[in-house]
Amino acid sequence: MGKHGVDILNLDVDKLIQMLNEALAEEWLAYYQYWIGSRVLEGPMRTDIEQELQVHADQELNHAVMVADRIDQLGGTPVLSPADWMKLSKCKYAAPEDPYIEVILDQNLDAERCAIKRYQEIADFTYGKDHTTYKMATTILEEELEHEQEIEDWMADIDIMKENLKKLRM
Ligand SMILES: [Fe+2]
Ligand SMILES: [Fe+2]
């Protein structure tokens, strides 16, 4: 974006770039969390959920592209080193040390809820001031909400499956 485009934004652009860089670090960590989680996964419904987690991973990576491009347009520098991801991220990276599917889904759910908070915050900060970032934030927010919903649905399905198994044993 040209200098004029940045000048007319009625907000603290440095603060916005900082928030976007935190979001960018979070997207990369979320991407990796899904990417590695889908590969170590064990337990019920594994084959179906494994593929879905890979779809989520791709979507997080696409969010990273959108956020990095916007930082660039605003005249900022997207975080340059993976070593800074953990420092910038406000969302916890939870290594999937326990590969059991419910544990992994729980970790992913936490990350999604953190992402939802992040894009809500960016949307609030840019509302009525920076329409482009606002639009991007709400587009990403919608996908994070879908991710959260899908994970909750899988967790509910696993619960039903466990209940049914219990009944069979009785
Ligand atoms: Fe994301
Ligand atoms: Fe997500």
Side-chain angles (χ1 to χ4, degrees), residues 11-137:
L11 47 69
D12 182 344
V13 175
D14 289 338
K15 190 176 170 197
L16 177 60
I17 290 170
Q18 173 67 20
M19 285 160 90
L20 290 172
N21 256 323
E22 289 168 9
L24 179 57
E26 286 156 8
E27 290 295 355
W28 273 104
L29 292 176
Y31 165 74
Y32 192 68
Q33 186 147 11
Y34 275 124
W35 187 90
I36 194 68
S38 71
R39 281 164 174 82
V40 297
L41 202 62
E42 286 173 12
M45 295 170 60
R46 169 190 162 168
T47 19
D48 291 335
I49 291 178
E50 184 185 302
Q51 284 171 19
E52 296 296 332
L53 294 185
Q54 284 167 19
V55 172
H56 282 201
D58 290 344
Q59 286 168 334
E60 307 303 4
L61 197 56
N62 185 46
H63 298 163
V65 173
M66 292 161 78
V67 174
D69 285 350
R70 187 61 190 146
I71 292 171
D72 192 40
Q73 286 173 356
L74 288 165
T77 306
V79 54
L80 295 176
S81 169
D84 291 330
W85 292 345
M86 295 287 240
K87 289 182 219 153
L88 281 167
S89 174
K90 295 268 178 8
C91 303
K92 196 170 99 215
Y93 176 79
E97 274 146 19
D98 181 344
Y100 184 61
I101 194 158
E102 285 178 290
V103 178
I104 289 193
L105 289 178
D106 225 19
Q107 291 172 332
N108 288 330
L109 191 58
D110 275 350
E112 289 301 344
R113 287 178 176 159
C114 187
I116 288 166
K117 246 173 80 188
R118 165 66 68 196
Y119 290 104
Q120 184 74 48
E121 181 192 37
I122 295 173
D124 285 345
F125 190 70
T126 52
Y127 180 71
K129 293 171 184 157
D130 172 356
H131 307 299
T132 311
T133 306
Y134 176 78
K135 208 172 124 206
M136 179 201 77

